Each structure stands twice: as structure tokens, then as C-alpha cells.
Amino acid sequence: MSLSPSPRPSRGPRRRSLFASAAGAAGAALLVGCTGGSDSGESGSGPSDAERARARAARDSAELAARYAAVIAAHPGLAERLGPLRDGVVRHAEAFGGVRASSPAASGPASAASPSVSARAAGPGGDSGDSSDSRVVPADEKGALALLAGAERKLADRRARALLDVPGELARLLASVAAAGAAHVFLLTEG
């Protein structure tokens, strides 16, 4: 018995591959967590490397939250859909030790569209290595969602690669946030 192909056009990652990559990242974190306990007490470069990785993860999440705010500012009709995702990204930044200095989403999605946040997100000041044109919000909603999905995908992939270089607890946190990022990609592309 042959199965007929799906009538939907093939766009973006499939649900099965998305969940498989999230499960792989979580599995890698468990392995790293099991092996990271014995050398976590060393006074070598481990803690400073871990602190740098934690600070980078907090900064990356804050920059991603600023991108969400910029898209919401440019496309207020997406605020209801993107608000919860942005709130999750803000919580990720906090989990990595980032501060909730300018969290416009705390008072609701409408206030998330503050011009100061969108100007910061659209400005050229980022040091994440992305090209400056990726900070500009596309004029159409579909393009804006694709921008966010691409940023989430890159960040989730980078965090999954970093799992082997950090101690157990941070590796578990990175894996969890990478899996959440993969879920955000799915929601942005299929939702």
C-alpha cells in the first residue's frame, strides 16, 4: 500500500524533524550533564568559560526579544501571536542571568511595540555577527515572521552546538532553551 504525498507544499521544517532535533539536543544535554559533574569543581578556565557562555546566551536572548519587539512595533496585528513567544524569550534571558531592564511585554502586548526597543533592534549596534540588514523588519508580515523564524533557528542551532563546551547545569539549560527555540520556529512557520 503506497501513501500519497501530502497536498501541502513542502515549506520549512517538518514537525517530525523539528521534534527529532529538539529531542537530540535534550539527549545531548543529558549526556553532557552526566559527564560534567566530575570536573565542575576545578578552578581552571571552566567557570570563566561557563560564565562567558551564560552571558552570551543572555545577550542573545535579549537581542532576540528586541527583534520580536521590533516586529510587533512594525506589525501590530501580529502582537497577539508574537507576544507569548517574546515573553518566553525574555524569560530565557532572565534564566541565563540577564536583567529585565526594558521589558515592555510585562504590561501587555500593545506596549511591547515601544519605538525605543524597535529602534534598538533595527539599529546596526548588534555584535552577534549577523548582517545589519537582518535587523530591519520586512514590510510584509510573512517576511517578518520568516525573519524571526530564521533568527530563532540560528540561535537554537548555535546553542545546541555549544552544549559540549559547557558544564552540566548550563548545558541542560541551553538544551531546554534550544528546544524551546525549535518549537518557536515551528510556531512561526506553521502556526
Side-chain angles (χ1 to χ4, degrees):
M1 173 181 203
S2 67
L3 297 175
S4 62
S6 174
R8 289 188 338 183
S10 176
R11 289 186 358 186
R14 290 284 183 223
R15 186 179 309 170
R16 186 176 299 166
S17 64
L18 191 64
F19 288 127
S21 66
L30 291 175
L31 290 175
V32 170
C34 293
T35 62
S38 64
D39 63 344
S40 61
E42 291 181 11
S43 62
S45 64
S48 64
D49 288 344
E51 287 304 315
R52 281 195 303 270
R54 184 179 288 276
R56 166 91 189 234
R59 186 176 60 245
D60 288 345
S61 289
E63 289 175 3
L64 184 59
R67 282 189 183 190
Y68 271 96
V71 169
I72 291 170
H75 302 286
L78 293 174
E80 185 176 329
R81 179 178 178 186
L82 298 180
L85 299 178
R86 183 193 179 280
D87 291 345
V89 171
V90 169
R91 283 191 299 274
H92 297 159
E94 292 172 353
F96 287 119
V99 294
R100 194 178 184 123
S102 62
S103 176
S107 59
S111 65
S114 80
S116 62
V117 174
S118 64
R120 212 174 40 242
D127 63 346
S128 63
D130 292 334
S131 61
S132 62
D133 64 344
S134 67
R135 297 238 183 254
V136 176
V137 177
D140 64 320
E141 289 184 356
K142 195 175 205 177
L145 291 174
L147 172 80
L148 288 174
E152 286 271 17
R153 184 177 298 116
K154 285 180 188 177
L155 189 53
D157 290 346
R158 185 174 355 147
R159 286 177 173 161
R161 285 190 306 272
L163 290 175
L164 299 175
D165 299 329
V166 296
E169 186 64 29
L170 181 55
R172 286 187 286 277
L173 181 58
L174 277 172
S176 175
V177 174
H184 285 186
V185 170
F186 175 76
L187 292 171
L188 289 166
T189 57
E190 301 289 326

